[in-house]
Amino acid sequence: MEGKAVKINGFKAVGLTYFGDNSNGEIPKLWDVFNKRYNYIKRKSQSMLCYGICDEVDSEGKFHYTACAEVDSFEDIPEGMEGKVVSEGKYVVYTYCGDLKNLGEFYNSIFTKWMPDSGHEMDCRPQLELYDHRFMENGEFDIYMPIK
């Protein structure tokens, strides 16, 4: 699969963060909690525009994953949630559509085949999952891999 190189503008987001390796399916559970609290987030930039932000991977393979909504401001962040800032930058975008149980295989293909074959060098910035109306309609969403 060939990804599409794009440049994104920076943005602010508010949501819930998990730290670990997702070995027990913690990320889907995080999304369940986030979805129940989504309406408490004020200042959303757009309705139904959410991100999964993955950053700060440690030497043991643990990482921070934030289920969040893009916001215009960090005013009135709900209790237990946090603000995140994603800087502008270049990314390669891959679109996933399928059963979420196969998402790990898709990511493995990104890291072991598609990104190395793309000619782009990964950058040490957050990886993004963009969930918009397509996810609710057919399970489709975009994965943004940071590049230099």
Side-chain angles (χ1 to χ4, degrees), residues 96-145:
Y96 182 79
C97 187
D99 194 317
L100 289 178
K101 71 178 183 184
N102 299 322
L103 185 57
E105 293 174 33
F106 191 82
Y107 266 104
N108 188 51
S109 294
I110 290 173
F111 287 117
T112 62
K113 177 144 182 56
W114 302 332
M115 279 302 295
D117 290 351
S118 75
H120 295 288
E121 185 179 348
M122 290 276 294
D123 198 1
C124 191
R125 290 182 286 116
Q127 299 166 23
L128 310 172
E129 297 169 346
L130 170 68
Y131 297 93
D132 57 18
H133 65 91
R134 296 170 301 149
F135 185 72
M136 299 305 280
E137 293 167 3
N138 62 14
E140 183 177 304
F141 63 97
D142 295 328
I143 297 171
Y144 286 69
M145 304 303 291

Side-chain angles (χ1 to χ4, degrees), residues 14 38-44 71-73 75-76 78:
V14 169
Y38 173 82
N39 288 330
Y40 294 109
I41 299 172
K42 299 176 178 157
R43 320 263 190 256
K44 287 188 274 300
V71 297
D72 294 324
S73 138
E75 291 180 50
D76 304 318

Side-chain angles (χ1 to χ4, degrees), residues 3-43:
K4 179 181 177 183
V6 300
K7 182 177 179 186
I8 67 162
N9 294 324
F11 63 91
K12 297 175 185 155
V14 169
L16 298 170
T17 299
Y18 158 79
F19 178 75
D21 62 6
N22 195 41
S23 60
N24 295 308
E26 292 89 352
I27 291 175
K29 294 173 190 169
L30 177 72
W31 276 106
D32 286 343
V33 174
F34 174 78
N35 289 335
K36 290 174 183 158
R37 299 197 57 211
Y38 173 82
N39 288 330
Y40 294 109
I41 299 172
K42 299 176 178 157
R43 320 263 190 256

Side-chain angles (χ1 to χ4, degrees), residues 75-92:
E75 291 180 50
D76 304 318
I77 295 176
E79 177 119 7
M81 292 191 181
E82 65 180 69
K84 299 279 277 189
V85 175
V86 174
S87 300
E88 72 176 31
K90 294 190 291 186
Y91 285 82
V92 173

